């Protein structure tokens, strides 16, 4: 299993000096402090992203909010803005944000779409009949939303929250720029400053344990979620009128976009202005753009293909094998990119030398890192499909494979597309593993931008960052068109 390759490498590296060294490093005060600092940051960012993501998804998918289609597209853009870009802009403009507050702000602004996108897809397929029954029984619209609508999409929200927590644990750019010492910063410092790599490997194993603990916790949280037993009504829910709360909703979304998109884009605009004074390598920009699109598409395709059986198994089975497979898929996402990259370099040289320093190894690295982005969405989408449809397909003589292709995959399409979109966006901006695994002579937009920022050539880096933001609109448009097509077809195309 590709997802467990980094863990195998960490175990080999950590225990090279014997188990006593490992235990002494695990239980020393510095490690415990890092667990606390990383844990409280992950908790804060996850709670904030759940509140922002679920609220934004409900406002854009289920209300009569003016301009909700535009907001639905704009709210996915933060995923394409690398955390190190946002971090640099914020720390340059607001030095007082250094530390926990700045790291939490930047990571929340960059991560809430992990909740927003899949919850939006889930809300588009939720059966409105349950809400209508609750309303006829006298429940208020607010109580119906909180106790019926949100309960139906809670598994999807929990999956998104898990991704946010794991992303926060593995992020390096924001914590480094905000000078907040977390596990990733300690790991990078150990790799770069010491000849002894054992502490870095031990820190990586601690992150693996935290990732498994988070995955198990997320599974327990969604254990009591409701399940659909019927096919429901094939129609969209009526838009909830906001009335006098429209301006409050618009202000909330505007503030979210200003913090997550407006400030970073203002910084990019400033860099683009300075870029006019620098010699721009347009040929290099074009080459990096095409290669980024190519490897991001390949990575998203491989990630989604691997996630389909894992997500389906996790949704339909409670066996130990299903739980282990799902948990294993989340491990890579909690590890810093440099850890995953070094592990694949180690195994690539020994097991697949023909792929080392070639595109296939880079694509495999992306799949290891971002498999959970598709697994969570696919699992939630499959779980929402009534079991009766599979039983009916079986009674008509269709096997499991045919049922999956003809019944489950089409019905789970919004979740599959959301997972692929998340994978594409995140792959396009990935940096640490890319720097280690990218073929010689090739560059992605992220790696080329990083090379310029290392030498403080922000003007030259600005075009690459700007194109990354533009690329973010591609999967967002696909997802938005899919969801809007469903609503328009069922509601007569009304806004």
């Amino acid at each position: 299993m590709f997802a467990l390759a980094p863990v195998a490498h960490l175990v080999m590296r950590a225990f090279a000096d014997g188990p006593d060294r490992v235990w002494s490093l695990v239980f020393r005060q510095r490690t415990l402090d890092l667990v606390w600092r990383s844990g409280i940051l992950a908790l804060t960012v996850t709670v904030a992203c759940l509140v922002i993501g679920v609220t934004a998804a409900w406002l854009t998918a289920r209300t009569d909010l003016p301009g909700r289609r535009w907001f639905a597209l704009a709210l996915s853009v933060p995923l394409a803005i690398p955390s190190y870009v946002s971090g640099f802009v914020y720390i340059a403009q607001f030095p007082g944000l250094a530390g926990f507050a700045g790291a939490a702000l930047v990571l929340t602004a960059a991560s809430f779409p992990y909740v927003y996108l899949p919850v939006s897809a889930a809300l588009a397929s939720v059966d409105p009949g349950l809400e209508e029954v609750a309303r006829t029984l006298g429940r208020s619209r607010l109580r119906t939303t909180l106790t019926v609508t949100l309960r139906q999409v809670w598994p999807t929200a929990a999956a998104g929250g898990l991704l946010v927590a794991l992303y926060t644990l593995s992020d390096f750019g924001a914590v480094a720029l905000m000078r907040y010492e977390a596990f990733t910063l300690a790991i990078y410092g150990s790799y770069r400053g010491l000849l002894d790599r054992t502490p870095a490997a031990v820190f990586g194993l601690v992150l693996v344990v935290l990732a498994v603990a988070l995955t198990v916790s997320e599974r327990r949280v969604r254990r009591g979620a409701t399940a659909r037993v019927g096919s429901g009504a094939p129609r969209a829910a009526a838009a909830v009128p906001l009335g006098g709360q429209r301006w409050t909703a618009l202000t909330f979304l505007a503030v979210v976009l200003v913090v997550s998109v407006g400030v970073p884009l203002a910084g990019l605009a400033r860099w683009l202005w300075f870029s006019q004074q620098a010699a721009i390598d347009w040929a290099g920009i074009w080459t990096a753009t095409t290669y980024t699109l190519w490897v991001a598409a390949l990575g998203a395709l491989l990630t989604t293909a691997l996630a389909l059986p894992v997500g389906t198994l996790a949704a339909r089975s409670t066996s130990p094998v299903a739980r282990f497979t799902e948990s294993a898929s989340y491990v890579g996402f909690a590890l810093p990119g440099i850890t995953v990259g070094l592990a694949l370099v180690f195994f690539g040289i020994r097991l697949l030398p023909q792929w080392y320093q070639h595109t296939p190894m880079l694509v495999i690295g992306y799949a290891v890192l971002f498999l959970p982005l598709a697994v969570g969405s696919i699992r939630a989408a499959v779980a929402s499909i009534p079991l009766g449809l599979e039983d009916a397909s079986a009674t008509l003589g269709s096997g499991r494979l045919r049922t999956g292709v003809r019944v489950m995959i089409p019905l789970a399409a919004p979740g599959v597309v959301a997972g692929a979109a998340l994978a594409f966006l995140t792959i396009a901006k990935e940096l640490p593993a890319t720097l280690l695994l990218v073929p010689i002579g090739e560059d992605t937009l992220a790696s080329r931008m990083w090379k310029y920022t290392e030498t403080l050539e922000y003007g030259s880096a600005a075009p690459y960052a700007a194109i990354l933001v533009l690329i973010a609109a591609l999967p967002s448009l696909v997802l938005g068109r899919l969801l809007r097509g469903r609503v328009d077809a069922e509601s007569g195309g009304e806004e």
Side-chain angles (χ1 to χ4, degrees), residues 350-370:
R350 289 161 176 78
L351 302 179
L352 297 169
Q354 69 274 19
W355 283 3
Y356 179 65
Q357 288 293 323
H358 288 81
T359 299
M361 185 62 68
L362 178 62
V363 173
I364 290 173
Y366 290 147
V368 172
L369 281 167
F370 306 124

Side-chain angles (χ1 to χ4, degrees), residues 32-46:
L32 299 178
D33 289 341
L34 288 173
V35 169
W36 166 255
R37 294 173 67 85
S38 297
I40 196 65
L41 179 64
L43 177 63
T44 302
V45 173
T46 301

Side-chain angles (χ1 to χ4, degrees), residues 420-460:
L422 289 170
F424 183 95
L425 285 167
T426 313
I427 288 170
K429 66 175 183 177
E430 203 285 328
L431 180 64
T434 301
L435 293 175
L436 288 171
L437 299 174
V438 70
I440 296 175
E442 299 285 359
D443 268 311
T444 65
L445 290 167
S447 64
R448 183 66 68 89
M449 184 180 73
W450 181 258
K451 291 178 181 178
Y452 282 120
T453 57
E454 278 192 316
T455 57
L456 303 181
E457 298 178 71
Y458 299 118
S460 298

Side-chain angles (χ1 to χ4, degrees), residues 80 92 180 194 204 214 217 270 467:
Y180 182 78
L194 299 173
L214 286 170
S217 300
R270 182 168 176 265
I467 293 173

Side-chain angles (χ1 to χ4, degrees), residues 303-393:
T303 301
T304 305
L306 294 175
L308 274 171
V310 177
T312 303
L313 181 65
R316 288 294 189 245
S317 174
T318 58
S319 66
V321 173
R323 293 196 298 269
F324 173 79
T325 303
E326 183 187 12
S327 299
S329 70
Y330 279 83
V331 168
F333 196 65
L335 293 173
I338 189 173
T339 301
V340 175
L342 287 172
L344 291 179
V345 168
F346 176 83
F347 287 110
I349 293 175
R350 289 161 176 78
L351 302 179
L352 297 169
Q354 69 274 19
W355 283 3
Y356 179 65
Q357 288 293 323
H358 288 81
T359 299
M361 185 62 68
L362 178 62
V363 173
I364 290 173
Y366 290 147
V368 172
L369 281 167
F370 306 124
L371 185 60
L373 298 178
V375 169
S377 294
I378 292 172
R379 182 196 63 207
V382 172
S384 69
I385 300 174
L387 290 172
L389 295 180
E390 298 177 51
D391 296 337
S393 178

Side-chain angles (χ1 to χ4, degrees), residues 153-411:
V153 301
W154 174 242
T156 304
L162 175 62
L163 293 179
V164 171
L166 296 178
Y167 179 81
T168 303
L169 289 176
S170 66
D171 181 82
F172 171 72
V175 296
L177 287 165
M178 292 297 172
R179 298 188 290 277
Y180 182 78
E181 189 174 23
F183 262 118
T184 50
L185 194 58
I187 290 173
Y188 274 74
S190 181
Y191 272 125
R192 296 189 63 180
L194 299 173
L195 295 177
D196 182 11
R197 302 291 176 82
T198 301
V202 171
F203 291 156
L205 286 178
V206 174
L207 280 180
V208 171
V209 173
L210 291 176
V212 173
L214 286 170
T215 305
V216 173
S217 300
E218 183 263 349
R219 187 184 296 119
R220 291 183 180 276
V221 166
R222 59 180 164 86
R223 178 173 294 173
T226 58
R228 292 180 64 181
V229 295
S231 58
R235 56 190 171 80
V240 176
L242 293 176
Q245 299 301 317
R246 282 189 176 187
W247 289 110
T248 302
L250 288 171
T251 301
F252 168 76
L253 294 180
V255 170
V256 170
L257 287 176
V258 167
V259 172
S260 61
V261 179
V263 174
L265 288 187
L268 286 181
R270 182 168 176 265
W271 291 356
L272 284 172
W273 174 260
F274 289 133
S275 71
Q276 299 178 6
Q277 305 174 15
I280 299 177
D281 181 12
W282 292 108
I285 291 175
W286 171 251
T287 301
T289 300
T290 54
Y291 190 70
T292 298
L293 291 171
W294 171 243
V295 295
L298 289 178
L301 181 63
L302 177 61
T303 301
T304 305
L306 294 175
L308 274 171
V310 177
T312 303
L313 181 65
R316 288 294 189 245
S317 174
T318 58
S319 66
V321 173
R323 293 196 298 269
F324 173 79
T325 303
E326 183 187 12
S327 299
S329 70
Y330 279 83
V331 168
F333 196 65
L335 293 173
I338 189 173
T339 301
V340 175
L342 287 172
L344 291 179
V345 168
F346 176 83
F347 287 110
I349 293 175
R350 289 161 176 78
L351 302 179
L352 297 169
Q354 69 274 19
W355 283 3
Y356 179 65
Q357 288 293 323
H358 288 81
T359 299
M361 185 62 68
L362 178 62
V363 173
I364 290 173
Y366 290 147
V368 172
L369 281 167
F370 306 124
L371 185 60
L373 298 178
V375 169
S377 294
I378 292 172
R379 182 196 63 207
V382 172
S384 69
I385 300 174
L387 290 172
L389 295 180
E390 298 177 51
D391 296 337
S393 178
T395 59
L396 293 175
S398 297
R400 287 186 177 274
L401 179 60
R402 190 176 182 184
T403 298
V405 172
R406 300 186 62 180
V407 178
M408 296 180 66
I409 292 180
L411 291 175

